[in-house]
Amino acid sequence: MKKVIDGKALVYCEGAFNTPNGKTAHGLVRFTERYEVVGVLDEKYAGRDAGDVLDGRPNGIPVYKDLEAAIVALTASNNMPSYLVIGLAPDGGRLPQVAKATIKAALQQGWNVDSGLHDFLTNDPELVALAKEKNVKIRDIRKTPDRDQLHFFTGDIEKVDCLKLAVLGTDSALGKRTTAWILVHAFRNAGKKAEMIGTGQTGWMQGAKYSMVMDSCINDFVSGEIEHAVVSAFKNEDPDVIVIEGQGSLMNPAYPGGFEILAAGRPDYVILQHAPKRVEYDGFPGYKMHSLEEQINAIQVISGKEVIAITINHEDMDKSEILDVCKAITLETKLPAFDVLEYGADDLIALLMEKIK
Protein backbone atom coordinates (compact mmCIF):
# COMPACT_ATOMS: atom_id res chain seq x y z
CA MET A 1 0.00 0.00 0.00
CA LYS A 2 1.34 3.43 -0.91
CA LYS A 3 2.27 5.86 1.84
CA VAL A 4 -0.13 8.79 2.10
CA ILE A 5 -0.09 11.95 4.19
CA ASP A 6 -3.53 11.80 5.80
CA GLY A 7 -5.26 8.43 5.25
CA LYS A 8 -8.15 6.85 3.38
CA ALA A 9 -10.79 9.09 1.80
CA LEU A 10 -14.18 8.87 0.14
CA VAL A 11 -14.71 11.62 -2.45
CA TYR A 12 -18.09 13.38 -2.75
CA CYS A 13 -18.86 14.33 -6.36
CA GLU A 14 -22.64 13.91 -6.67
CA GLY A 15 -23.90 15.08 -10.07
CA ALA A 16 -20.49 16.32 -11.21
CA PHE A 17 -18.18 13.38 -11.85
CA ASN A 18 -16.85 13.32 -15.43
CA THR A 19 -17.90 16.98 -15.93
CA PRO A 20 -15.78 20.16 -15.57
CA ASN A 21 -17.43 20.73 -12.15
CA GLY A 22 -15.86 17.53 -10.86
CA LYS A 23 -12.24 18.41 -11.57
CA THR A 24 -11.16 18.16 -7.91
CA ALA A 25 -12.51 14.60 -7.77
CA HIS A 26 -10.83 13.86 -11.11
CA GLY A 27 -7.47 14.96 -9.77
CA LEU A 28 -7.85 12.78 -6.68
CA VAL A 29 -8.93 9.74 -8.71
CA ARG A 30 -5.94 10.11 -11.03
CA PHE A 31 -3.33 10.80 -8.38
CA THR A 32 -2.92 11.94 -4.79
CA GLU A 33 -0.22 11.55 -2.16
CA ARG A 34 -2.46 13.02 0.55
CA TYR A 35 -5.14 10.32 0.62
CA GLU A 36 -5.75 6.74 -0.38
CA VAL A 37 -9.00 7.20 -2.32
CA VAL A 38 -11.37 4.29 -1.58
CA GLY A 39 -14.39 5.48 -3.57
CA VAL A 40 -16.35 8.27 -5.24
CA LEU A 41 -19.96 9.27 -4.62
CA ASP A 42 -22.03 9.99 -7.74
CA GLU A 43 -25.31 8.19 -8.40
CA LYS A 44 -24.99 8.56 -12.19
CA TYR A 45 -21.94 6.28 -12.36
CA ALA A 46 -22.75 3.97 -9.42
CA GLY A 47 -21.25 0.52 -9.88
CA ARG A 48 -18.60 1.73 -12.32
CA ASP A 49 -14.83 2.04 -11.88
CA ALA A 50 -13.90 5.73 -11.49
CA GLY A 51 -10.74 5.47 -13.58
CA ASP A 52 -12.63 3.72 -16.36
CA VAL A 53 -15.33 6.42 -16.40
CA LEU A 54 -12.77 9.22 -16.46
CA ASP A 55 -9.97 7.97 -18.70
CA GLY A 56 -10.98 4.54 -19.94
CA ARG A 57 -8.37 3.07 -17.57
CA PRO A 58 -9.75 1.09 -14.60
CA ASN A 59 -7.90 1.88 -11.37
CA GLY A 60 -9.88 -0.04 -8.75
CA ILE A 61 -11.67 3.00 -7.27
CA PRO A 62 -15.43 2.23 -7.20
CA VAL A 63 -18.23 4.76 -7.65
CA TYR A 64 -21.08 4.46 -5.14
CA LYS A 65 -24.69 5.62 -5.34
CA ASP A 66 -24.61 7.38 -1.98
CA LEU A 67 -22.90 7.44 1.42
CA GLU A 68 -25.02 4.60 2.80
CA ALA A 69 -24.09 2.28 -0.07
CA ALA A 70 -20.43 3.22 0.30
CA ILE A 71 -20.43 2.49 4.03
CA VAL A 72 -21.96 -0.97 3.49
CA ALA A 73 -19.44 -1.88 0.79
CA LEU A 74 -16.41 -0.39 2.52
CA THR A 75 -17.29 -2.00 5.85
CA ALA A 76 -17.53 -5.38 4.12
CA SER A 77 -14.12 -4.89 2.47
CA ASN A 78 -12.55 -3.52 5.68
CA ASN A 79 -11.64 -0.35 3.79
CA MET A 80 -13.44 2.38 5.73
CA PRO A 81 -12.03 5.88 5.28
CA SER A 82 -11.26 8.52 7.87
CA TYR A 83 -12.00 11.43 5.51
CA LEU A 84 -14.83 12.67 3.33
CA VAL A 85 -13.36 14.97 0.70
CA ILE A 86 -15.56 17.35 -1.28
CA GLY A 87 -14.59 16.71 -4.90
CA LEU A 88 -16.80 19.39 -6.43
CA ALA A 89 -15.37 22.45 -8.19
CA PRO A 90 -18.45 24.39 -9.37
CA ASP A 91 -18.41 27.93 -10.76
CA GLY A 92 -17.96 30.29 -7.83
CA GLY A 93 -17.05 27.45 -5.48
CA ARG A 94 -20.49 27.26 -3.84
CA LEU A 95 -21.59 24.20 -1.88
CA PRO A 96 -24.84 22.61 -3.13
CA GLN A 97 -27.35 22.50 -0.28
CA VAL A 98 -27.98 18.80 -0.93
CA ALA A 99 -24.37 18.04 0.03
CA LYS A 100 -24.82 19.13 3.64
CA ALA A 101 -26.74 15.97 4.62
CA THR A 102 -23.87 13.79 3.40
CA ILE A 103 -21.32 15.95 5.24
CA LYS A 104 -23.33 15.66 8.47
CA ALA A 105 -23.60 11.89 8.04
CA ALA A 106 -19.83 11.62 7.48
CA LEU A 107 -19.13 13.63 10.65
CA GLN A 108 -21.57 11.36 12.52
CA GLN A 109 -19.45 8.42 11.33
CA GLY A 110 -16.45 10.04 13.00
CA TRP A 111 -14.79 11.05 9.71
CA ASN A 112 -12.85 14.24 9.08
CA VAL A 113 -14.11 16.46 6.25
CA ASP A 114 -11.92 18.40 3.78
CA SER A 115 -13.44 20.96 1.44
CA GLY A 116 -11.88 23.21 -1.18
CA LEU A 117 -14.98 25.30 -1.82
CA HIS A 118 -15.48 29.02 -1.18
CA ASP A 119 -18.45 28.17 1.08
CA PHE A 120 -16.55 27.48 4.28
CA LEU A 121 -17.87 24.55 6.28
CA THR A 122 -16.22 25.99 9.39
CA ASN A 123 -18.68 28.91 9.19
CA ASP A 124 -21.59 26.49 9.78
CA PRO A 125 -22.19 26.26 13.56
CA GLU A 126 -24.08 22.97 13.25
CA LEU A 127 -21.24 21.24 11.41
CA VAL A 128 -18.58 22.73 13.70
CA ALA A 129 -20.48 21.55 16.81
CA LEU A 130 -20.87 18.06 15.34
CA ALA A 131 -17.15 17.87 14.48
CA LYS A 132 -16.26 18.95 18.03
CA GLU A 133 -18.63 16.34 19.50
CA LYS A 134 -17.08 13.57 17.38
CA ASN A 135 -13.52 14.87 17.91
CA VAL A 136 -12.79 15.19 14.19
CA LYS A 137 -11.52 18.01 11.95
CA ILE A 138 -13.15 20.12 9.25
CA ARG A 139 -10.56 21.72 6.97
CA ASP A 140 -11.48 24.51 4.54
CA ILE A 141 -8.55 24.41 2.15
CA ARG A 142 -9.51 27.70 0.51
CA LYS A 143 -9.65 29.61 3.80
CA THR A 144 -7.02 32.34 3.57
CA PRO A 145 -4.37 32.35 6.30
CA ASP A 146 -4.20 35.40 8.55
CA ARG A 147 -2.34 38.31 7.00
CA ASP A 148 0.60 37.94 9.37
CA GLN A 149 1.22 34.49 7.87
CA LEU A 150 1.20 35.74 4.27
CA HIS A 151 4.26 36.80 2.28
CA PHE A 152 4.88 39.91 0.17
CA PHE A 153 7.01 39.79 -2.99
CA THR A 154 10.71 40.25 -2.20
CA GLY A 155 12.66 39.54 -5.38
CA ASP A 156 14.20 36.37 -3.90
CA ILE A 157 12.81 34.54 -6.94
CA GLU A 158 15.88 35.79 -8.84
CA LYS A 159 18.07 33.49 -6.69
CA VAL A 160 16.21 30.40 -7.98
CA ASP A 161 18.55 29.12 -10.68
CA CYS A 162 17.01 25.74 -11.52
CA LEU A 163 14.75 25.32 -14.54
CA LYS A 164 11.31 26.82 -13.87
CA LEU A 165 8.35 25.79 -16.05
CA ALA A 166 4.81 27.18 -15.90
CA VAL A 167 1.92 25.14 -17.24
CA LEU A 168 -0.58 27.81 -18.29
CA GLY A 169 -3.79 27.31 -20.26
CA THR A 170 -6.02 28.84 -22.88
CA ASP A 171 -9.04 28.39 -20.54
CA SER A 172 -10.08 27.23 -17.08
CA ALA A 173 -10.96 23.60 -16.16
CA LEU A 174 -8.60 22.42 -18.87
CA GLY A 175 -6.15 19.98 -17.29
CA LYS A 176 -3.25 22.29 -16.40
CA ARG A 177 -2.76 20.69 -12.98
CA THR A 178 -2.92 17.16 -14.39
CA THR A 179 -0.33 18.02 -17.02
CA ALA A 180 1.91 19.63 -14.39
CA TRP A 181 1.83 16.46 -12.25
CA ILE A 182 2.47 14.26 -15.29
CA LEU A 183 5.58 16.34 -16.07
CA VAL A 184 6.81 16.21 -12.45
CA HIS A 185 6.46 12.42 -12.37
CA ALA A 186 8.06 12.05 -15.80
CA PHE A 187 11.07 14.15 -14.75
CA ARG A 188 11.42 12.03 -11.60
CA ASN A 189 11.20 8.83 -13.66
CA ALA A 190 13.98 10.24 -15.84
CA GLY A 191 16.20 10.60 -12.77
CA LYS A 192 15.73 14.33 -12.15
CA LYS A 193 14.59 16.03 -8.95
CA ALA A 194 11.31 17.80 -9.76
CA GLU A 195 8.95 19.77 -7.52
CA MET A 196 5.35 20.79 -8.16
CA ILE A 197 4.10 24.21 -7.07
CA GLY A 198 0.36 23.90 -6.45
CA THR A 199 -1.69 27.05 -6.95
CA GLY A 200 -5.18 25.69 -6.21
CA GLN A 201 -7.00 23.64 -3.61
CA THR A 202 -6.79 20.40 -5.61
CA GLY A 203 -3.01 20.61 -5.88
CA TRP A 204 -2.86 20.76 -2.09
CA MET A 205 -5.29 17.85 -1.83
CA GLN A 206 -3.07 15.84 -4.15
CA GLY A 207 -0.17 16.39 -1.78
CA ALA A 208 1.78 19.26 -3.39
CA LYS A 209 4.28 20.04 -0.62
CA TYR A 210 4.75 23.63 -1.81
CA SER A 211 1.46 25.29 -2.63
CA MET A 212 -0.84 28.25 -2.17
CA VAL A 213 -4.48 28.76 -3.17
CA MET A 214 -4.35 31.60 -5.62
CA ASP A 215 -8.04 32.35 -6.14
CA SER A 216 -8.75 32.93 -2.45
CA CYS A 217 -5.54 34.75 -1.53
CA ILE A 218 -5.72 38.46 -0.73
CA ASN A 219 -4.61 40.26 -3.89
CA ASP A 220 -1.67 42.14 -2.35
CA PHE A 221 -0.07 38.85 -1.33
CA VAL A 222 -0.71 36.64 -4.39
CA SER A 223 2.67 37.37 -5.99
CA GLY A 224 4.47 36.99 -2.68
CA GLU A 225 2.82 33.66 -1.92
CA ILE A 226 3.71 32.30 -5.37
CA GLU A 227 7.30 33.50 -4.95
CA HIS A 228 7.51 32.08 -1.42
CA ALA A 229 6.32 28.63 -2.59
CA VAL A 230 8.86 28.52 -5.44
CA VAL A 231 11.75 29.83 -3.33
CA SER A 232 10.93 27.41 -0.48
CA ALA A 233 10.86 24.45 -2.89
CA PHE A 234 14.21 25.55 -4.32
CA LYS A 235 15.90 26.07 -0.94
CA ASN A 236 14.55 22.95 0.74
CA GLU A 237 14.65 20.41 -2.10
CA ASP A 238 17.49 21.58 -4.41
CA PRO A 239 15.50 20.43 -7.47
CA ASP A 240 16.60 20.25 -11.08
CA VAL A 241 13.23 21.60 -12.19
CA ILE A 242 10.22 23.32 -10.66
CA VAL A 243 6.82 23.05 -12.38
CA ILE A 244 4.25 25.73 -11.51
CA GLU A 245 0.58 24.85 -11.93
CA GLY A 246 -1.39 27.48 -13.87
CA GLN A 247 -4.78 28.92 -12.98
CA GLY A 248 -7.59 30.08 -15.29
CA SER A 249 -6.21 31.73 -18.40
CA LEU A 250 -5.04 35.18 -19.36
CA MET A 251 -8.20 35.85 -21.36
CA ASN A 252 -10.99 33.98 -19.57
CA PRO A 253 -13.44 36.73 -18.49
CA ALA A 254 -14.15 35.22 -15.05
CA TYR A 255 -10.83 33.52 -14.25
CA PRO A 256 -8.04 35.68 -15.67
CA GLY A 257 -5.29 33.77 -13.85
CA GLY A 258 -1.74 33.61 -15.09
CA PHE A 259 -0.51 37.21 -14.79
CA GLU A 260 0.85 36.73 -11.27
CA ILE A 261 2.37 33.35 -12.13
CA LEU A 262 4.32 34.95 -14.97
CA ALA A 263 5.24 38.04 -12.93
CA ALA A 264 6.16 36.38 -9.63
CA GLY A 265 7.05 32.80 -10.60
CA ARG A 266 9.20 34.12 -13.46
CA PRO A 267 9.28 30.84 -15.41
CA ASP A 268 12.03 30.20 -17.93
CA TYR A 269 9.51 28.64 -20.32
CA VAL A 270 5.75 28.20 -20.60
CA ILE A 271 3.90 25.05 -21.62
CA LEU A 272 0.42 25.95 -22.85
CA GLN A 273 -2.50 23.58 -22.25
CA HIS A 274 -5.26 23.82 -24.89
CA ALA A 275 -8.56 22.10 -25.75
CA PRO A 276 -8.79 22.27 -29.55
CA LYS A 277 -12.53 21.51 -29.65
CA ARG A 278 -13.54 24.33 -27.29
CA VAL A 279 -15.18 27.28 -29.01
CA GLU A 280 -16.28 29.36 -25.99
CA TYR A 281 -14.74 29.98 -22.58
CA ASP A 282 -15.68 27.42 -19.94
CA GLY A 283 -19.07 28.27 -18.43
CA PHE A 284 -19.55 31.46 -20.44
CA PRO A 285 -21.58 31.00 -23.64
CA GLY A 286 -21.08 33.90 -26.01
CA TYR A 287 -17.49 34.52 -24.92
CA LYS A 288 -15.58 33.12 -27.88
CA MET A 289 -12.16 31.67 -27.13
CA HIS A 290 -9.24 33.69 -28.46
CA SER A 291 -7.12 31.91 -31.03
CA LEU A 292 -4.09 29.89 -30.03
CA GLU A 293 -1.89 32.44 -31.80
CA GLU A 294 -3.37 35.32 -29.77
CA GLN A 295 -2.96 33.42 -26.51
CA ILE A 296 0.67 32.52 -27.22
CA ASN A 297 1.42 36.10 -28.20
CA ALA A 298 -0.17 37.47 -25.01
CA ILE A 299 1.96 35.19 -22.82
CA GLN A 300 5.16 36.07 -24.65
CA VAL A 301 4.46 39.82 -24.62
CA ILE A 302 3.65 39.83 -20.89
CA SER A 303 6.51 37.62 -19.74
CA GLY A 304 9.19 37.98 -22.40
CA LYS A 305 9.47 34.18 -22.21
CA GLU A 306 8.70 31.71 -24.94
CA VAL A 307 5.94 29.15 -25.08
CA ILE A 308 7.99 26.02 -25.68
CA ALA A 309 5.22 23.45 -26.33
CA ILE A 310 1.46 22.92 -26.50
CA THR A 311 -0.21 20.17 -24.47
CA ILE A 312 -3.72 19.28 -25.53
CA ASN A 313 -6.88 18.27 -23.71
CA HIS A 314 -8.64 15.70 -25.90
CA GLU A 315 -12.19 16.43 -24.69
CA ASP A 316 -14.83 15.78 -27.39
CA MET A 317 -12.23 14.03 -29.56
CA ASP A 318 -11.93 10.43 -30.70
CA LYS A 319 -8.56 8.86 -30.02
CA SER A 320 -8.07 8.52 -33.78
CA GLU A 321 -8.13 12.34 -34.09
CA ILE A 322 -5.54 13.20 -31.45
CA LEU A 323 -2.28 12.84 -33.37
CA ASP A 324 -3.66 14.62 -36.44
CA VAL A 325 -4.82 17.51 -34.22
CA CYS A 326 -1.34 17.70 -32.67
CA LYS A 327 0.20 17.87 -36.15
CA ALA A 328 -2.23 20.61 -37.18
CA ILE A 329 -1.34 22.66 -34.08
CA THR A 330 2.35 22.29 -34.89
CA LEU A 331 1.74 23.49 -38.44
CA GLU A 332 -0.27 26.47 -37.11
CA THR A 333 2.06 27.51 -34.28
CA LYS A 334 5.46 26.02 -35.24
CA LEU A 335 5.48 24.48 -31.74
CA PRO A 336 5.51 20.79 -30.81
CA ALA A 337 2.15 19.54 -29.50
CA PHE A 338 1.54 16.57 -27.20
CA ASP A 339 -1.32 14.76 -25.47
CA VAL A 340 0.50 13.72 -22.31
CA LEU A 341 -2.60 12.29 -20.62
CA GLU A 342 -3.23 9.84 -23.47
CA TYR A 343 0.32 9.11 -24.64
CA GLY A 344 2.58 10.01 -21.71
CA ALA A 345 5.20 12.74 -21.47
CA ASP A 346 8.41 11.01 -22.63
CA ASP A 347 8.70 12.98 -25.90
CA LEU A 348 8.01 16.29 -24.18
CA ILE A 349 10.44 15.48 -21.35
CA ALA A 350 13.17 14.72 -23.89
CA LEU A 351 12.70 18.26 -25.24
CA LEU A 352 12.66 19.83 -21.77
CA MET A 353 15.69 17.90 -20.46
CA GLU A 354 17.84 19.95 -22.83
CA LYS A 355 16.80 23.08 -20.93
CA ILE A 356 17.83 21.88 -17.46
CA LYS A 357 20.57 24.11 -16.13
Side-chain angles (χ1 to χ4, degrees):
M1 189 181 77
K2 72 172 183 175
K3 186 179 179 183
V4 294
I5 298 168
D6 288 330
K8 294 179 181 180
L10 183 67
V11 178
Y12 179 92
C13 199
E14 183 55 49
F17 196 64
N18 206 26
T19 78
N21 285 350
K23 67 179 185 179
T24 294
H26 302 164
L28 295 174
V29 163
R30 285 178 175 135
F31 160 79
T32 175
E33 292 175 348
R34 185 165 296 280
Y35 315 103
E36 180 190 344
V37 176
V38 297
V40 174
L41 299 181
D42 188 344
E43 185 175 8
K44 181 177 179 182
Y45 293 105
R48 298 276 304 277
D49 180 290
D52 187 38
V53 170
L54 199 56
D55 297 319
R57 298 189 193 108
N59 62 6
I61 297 174
V63 184
Y64 297 109
K65 176 186 175 184
D66 53 30
L67 186 68
E68 291 75 16
I71 288 171
V72 169
L74 294 169
T75 301
S77 62
N78 195 29
N79 210 21
M80 283 283 272
S82 54
Y83 283 86
L84 179 75
V85 180
I86 307 303
L88 303 173
D91 292 338
R94 308 314 300 267
L95 180 74
Q97 198 55 38
V98 69
K100 186 175 175 181
T102 301
I103 293 167
K104 283 174 62 178
L107 292 169
Q108 287 282 9
Q109 284 286 324
W111 299 356
N112 305 287
V113 177
D114 284 350
S115 171
L117 299 177
H118 284 301
D119 279 336
F120 298 144
L121 304 184
T122 49
N123 288 350
D124 186 313
E126 183 184 11
L127 296 180
V128 170
L130 186 53
K132 186 175 181 182
E133 177 193 330
K134 296 292 181 179
N135 195 29
V136 293
K137 294 177 293 185
I138 298 173
R139 292 190 292 193
D140 285 308
I141 313 310
R142 258 188 172 131
K143 206 161 203 176
T144 306
D146 291 337
R147 282 169 169 77
D148 61 0
Q149 295 176 41
L150 295 172
H151 301 84
F152 198 72
F153 185 80
T154 64
D156 282 351
I157 193 75
E158 305 303 339
K159 299 172 186 174
V160 178
D161 64 1
C162 68
L163 176 65
K164 299 191 301 296
L165 302 170
V167 180
L168 302 187
T170 56
D171 197 8
S172 60
L174 197 69
K176 298 179 288 290
R177 184 194 67 259
T178 297
T179 291
W181 275 121
I182 289 171
L183 291 178
V184 167
H185 294 148
F187 273 119
R188 290 174 181 172
N189 290 339
K192 296 298 180 183
K193 292 177 71 176
E195 284 298 323
M196 162 84 159
I197 304 299
T199 54
Q201 73 278 7
T202 309
W204 182 91
M205 287 177 166
Q206 288 180 297
K209 189 174 176 183
Y210 300 94
S211 56
M212 53 86 68
V213 183
M214 189 169 149
D215 68 7
S216 62
C217 188
I218 297 162
N219 194 55
D220 256 4
F221 297 98
V222 170
S223 288
E225 285 294 294
I226 293 168
E227 180 193 45
H228 177 70
V230 174
V231 170
S232 297
F234 177 67
K235 285 181 177 177
N236 296 340
E237 310 297 337
D238 189 28
D240 298 299
V241 57
I242 288 173
V243 181
I244 308 171
E245 171 200 3
Q247 289 296 321
S249 76
L250 292 184
M251 296 174 173
N252 182 297
Y255 310 116
F259 291 103
E260 294 95 341
I261 289 169
L262 292 171
R266 308 190 81 72
D268 299 299
Y269 300 96
V270 173
I271 293 155
L272 186 59
Q273 180 90 358
H274 178 59
K277 295 286 186 176
R278 279 198 201 179
V279 177
E280 299 173 318
Y281 283 104
D282 173 47
F284 297 93
Y287 285 85
K288 190 173 181 293
M289 293 249 312
H290 293 77
S291 70
L292 202 46
E293 182 184 6
E294 289 174 293
Q295 303 244 17
I296 292 167
N297 185 55
I299 289 167
Q300 295 184 163
V301 167
I302 288 166
S303 66
K305 303 297 183 181
E306 66 178 289
V307 175
I308 196 171
I310 308 296
T311 48
I312 75 161
N313 175 330
H314 55 244
E315 65 181 21
D316 299 327
M317 292 167 58
D318 292 327
K319 185 171 179 178
S320 60
E321 296 178 78
I322 293 173
L323 294 178
D324 286 339
V325 167
C326 287
K327 288 175 187 172
I329 287 172
T330 297
L331 283 172
E332 177 191 349
T333 64
K334 308 295 187 287
L335 295 171
F338 309 91
D339 185 338
V340 297
L341 182 60
E342 185 62 43
Y343 293 109
D346 289 353
D347 291 343
L348 177 53
I349 290 296
L351 170 74
L352 297 173
M353 290 280 268
E354 299 174 8
K355 306 297 184 184
I356 288 181
K357 298 172 183 179

